[in-house]
Amino acid sequence: MPCVAIVCKPHREELKRLLPELIAWLRKHGYEPVLDREGAGYTASAPSVDRADLPKQCPGLVIVLGGDGTLLAAARIFATVGTPILSVNLGFLGFLTEVRLADLYATLENWCAGCHSLDERAMVHAILWREGAEVTSFEALNEIVVSKGDIARMGEFAVELDGRSVARFRADGVIVSTPTGSTAYTLAANGPILTPDVDAMVVTPICPHLLTLRPIVVRGDASLIVRIEGVPNVALLTIDGQQGLELHLGDEVRCCRSKYKVKLVRLGDTGFFEALRSKLSWGEL
């Protein structure tokens, strides 16, 4: 039977009831479910593996039961294999996880019938470069953030675009965002909202010392470098608000468009602007 992977948000009591029902429904319709370890804590009625190993099961669909954070974690894992993701909102805002729990089985019926479309979202690829060598690399659906540590003093950063100097400034940090991430941390830092199909990235200073230093939108195929030129105690690199590591003085974070895309299953016609209105109250009187 074709495999369906299920990725679960931890500490959600409704999963005790939901998961056995969903597993039974999938098997009735000819699919074999496999859970991540978080889901295995709520039921033993399906096999489970570590979340990072779910792509090895070759699922035809990923069902995310959680909020946007759970979806972001799943997106980074499954983008490399191109598995479509159907996200069900068990979180709070749920900007990306558009399916309501009450609509789960109707949505799955439409999936089985082929009545769906795939919304492909661009990712950003980031390489940490230190002392002339690559240290590690990441993929992000929302954003890459370079920021100062926990001391309330600004850091010093430099930004380059395609080998040319853009700016040197003092701030709490810098966000390099995809169009999808323009409605996340970038929006909170007064960045612009981009529709998901725009071929671009957004560079947004976080609380800059100069009020004239505004966010900029660059080409999607641009090559960006954010360099650490001064920090009060420590600097951090954060990926989608979930992965992070400490940076050193002189480190460079090199960002460009990822070769991977996240495929989100869309079955309704609500669209991006409906999500803006309903989730963020954007454009309403």
Side-chain angles (χ1 to χ4, degrees), residues 263-283:
K263 298 179 180 179
L264 302 178
V265 176
R266 301 302 193 200
L267 298 112
D269 56 0
T270 54
F272 176 73
F273 290 102
E274 175 60 29
L276 285 180
R277 289 190 294 269
S278 63
K279 305 294 185 179
L280 301 179
S281 299
W282 184 88

Side-chain angles (χ1 to χ4, degrees), residues 189-217:
N190 293 318
I193 295 175
L194 275 60
T195 57
D197 57 351
V198 172
D199 184 15
M201 292 186 288
V202 184
V203 182
T204 305
I206 305 170
C207 298
H209 185 252
L210 297 176
L211 297 179
T212 53
L213 196 62
R214 312 305 301 164
I216 59 172
V217 179

